[in-house]
Amino acid sequence: MSVYGVLFYALGGLMLAATTLAVTSRSLVHAVVYLVNAFFATGLLFYLLGAPLLAAFEIIIYAGAIMVLFLFIVMLTRQDKPLAGGVSLMRWLLPGLTSLVSLAAGTALVFSGGATGVPLAPAMASPRDLGRALFSRWWLGVEIVSFLLLVALVGALYLGRAPREGAAAGKSPGDAP
Amino acid sequence: MIVPFGHVLLLAALLFLMGLSCTIARRNLVMILIGVEIMLNASGLALVASSLRWMSMDGQALTALILGVAASEVTVGLALVMAVRRASGSLDADRQTALKEDDR
């Protein structure tokens, strides 16, 4: 096994362990910090799979911005008591069973031969290539995502506004003549 | 060579199913959103691996778009979590049983 293979399995094991700990963690802060680990490992895996720009994006956006946002929300909504019934076994039984069935089917599919057995050759796509593909063939997707970000901004502002004083008196904006 | 393509797919499938189980089994609203994030991340991993497998930039371009979708999803999702918390005083998904803010 080449050094790339060793790196892949090490990073993959780290991702699985960190994600398991995050998913089963009782404390929200611990879950978020474990998830930062998992996303950092994902970024390195992206680099290993030949996507340096996406590796940087993954660390900046996922491990940086999104997880900091989660941390802010966790800090703002301080829980008085530990999460009730967060890790009870019965709740995990059905999702675990369905996941196992899907995983068994996927494993059978992957190891039944065909195109999935092809070894990946190391390669590196330059950010220039990604930018060119993004803005020539995927320009419509870029436009849609930019519009989506604008809508998300407006929606977050609308949802996060302070409750109005008039709302308590039973007056809603629709009542205006 | 790095590894067979199928191994990357299996890793992505494992991560996706973990995120799915987290979304289904956990009751805390923040943990549900975290499960969705894990699922989006796993799909990005599979796309980047397919991009390397077929030596095409489409997978990486789609992953870049998924980053934007994940960012907007988490923005609106966390704003909703804050609104729900303000309305009902709890983050437990099972306790959100009223449609109006006053009837609880």
Side-chain angles (χ1 to χ4, degrees), chain B residues 20-96:
Chain B
L20 186 64
S21 306
C22 179
T23 305
I24 297 175
R26 297 301 293 254
R27 275 191 297 197
N28 192 286
L29 286 172
V30 176
M31 286 309 289
I32 291 175
L33 275 181
I34 281 180
V36 176
E37 287 300 310
I38 295 174
M39 282 194 279
L40 283 172
N41 193 46
S43 63
L45 179 61
L47 279 173
V48 168
S50 331
S51 181
L52 182 61
R53 158 75 177 76
W54 279 282
M55 286 293 167
S56 141
M57 292 307 294
D58 292 349
Q60 292 196 16
L62 267 176
T63 312
L65 300 186
I66 284 182
L67 279 176
V69 172
S72 46
E73 173 258 332
V74 84
T75 313
V76 177
L78 286 177
L80 270 174
V81 166
M82 286 306 286
V84 164
R85 156 92 179 182
R86 199 160 47 212
S88 74
S90 162
L91 281 183
D92 196 336
D94 286 354
R95 219 170 285 169
Q96 317 298 338

